[in-house]
Amino acid sequence: ADVSAGRAKAVQCQACHGLDGISKLPEAPNLAGQNEDYLVKALNDFKTGARKNEMMSTVVKPLSDADIANLAAYYHSLHP
Amino acid sequence: ADVSAGRAKAVQCQACHGLDGISKLPEAPNLAGQNEDYLVKALNDFKTGARKNEMMSTVVKPLSDADIANLAAYYHSLHP
């Protein structure tokens, strides 16, 4: 996966999760250093609806598999 | 919430999440330092079935609200 492409895509995520992966909202989880497999599964589950969240179900819609892999790699690469 | 009670209860969680909150399995997320509100919501969602996971749906069944609050406080208290 491409961490720098993930960082560019994470601009859409920063309001809640931060570019540094440290949550900006009590409801949003910290993502810095999180497991890549877990992040990919979470994003796919929001995309398929297996997991529901008003905000996440909306923002993941336009994401491609590559975007998801890159975002997971980016946030995993950050130090919590 | 009672962090030490949470730590005692976390003995059931350590196989996947670790007592240190650092994941022991690629599928299991790191929990150390995670937001308490997020952890409480996640545990409740697994309990109500709003969120599904074979393992989690089973282990949360016997947890009381106090257990959930204590576990969330415990894992939040750990440094990632």
Side-chain angles (χ1 to χ4, degrees):
Chain A
D2 181 338
V3 169
S4 53
R7 185 180 194 292
K9 189 57 76 173
V11 163
Q12 300 172 1
C13 317
Q14 64 181 326
C16 302
H17 295 293
L19 264 186
D20 55 4
I22 305 305
S23 161
K24 306 300 179 244
L25 294 176
E27 302 82 355
N30 296 317
L31 300 182
Q34 189 55 277
N35 277 340
E36 268 179 270
D37 290 1
Y38 175 77
L39 291 173
V40 167
K41 180 162 192 318
L43 287 171
N44 282 322
D45 284 355
F46 283 125
K47 215 174 158 186
T48 62
R51 187 170 163 181
K52 294 190 180 43
N53 175 284
E54 251 179 76
M55 175 63 99
M56 287 304 292
S57 305
T58 318
V59 299
V60 301
K61 277 211 179 60
L63 296 181
S64 68
D65 290 346
D67 291 332
I68 287 176
N70 295 340
L71 280 165
Y74 171 65
Y75 277 112
H76 174 66
S77 75
L78 299 174
H79 294 290
Chain B
D2 179 339
V3 169
S4 54
R7 187 182 193 291
K9 190 56 77 173
V11 164
Q12 300 172 1
C13 318
Q14 65 181 328
C16 300
H17 294 293
L19 265 185
D20 55 3
I22 306 305
S23 160
K24 305 301 177 242
L25 294 176
E27 302 83 355
N30 296 316
L31 299 182
Q34 187 56 278
N35 277 339
E36 269 181 87
D37 290 0
Y38 176 77
L39 290 173
V40 168
K41 181 167 193 313
L43 288 171
N44 282 322
D45 284 355
F46 284 125
K47 215 174 159 187
T48 62
R51 186 171 164 182
K52 291 184 181 44
N53 175 284
E54 252 180 70
M55 174 63 97
M56 287 304 292
S57 306
T58 318
V59 298
V60 300
K61 274 208 181 63
L63 296 181
S64 67
D65 290 346
D67 292 331
I68 286 176
N70 296 340
L71 279 166
Y74 171 65
Y75 276 111
H76 175 66
S77 74
L78 299 173
H79 293 290

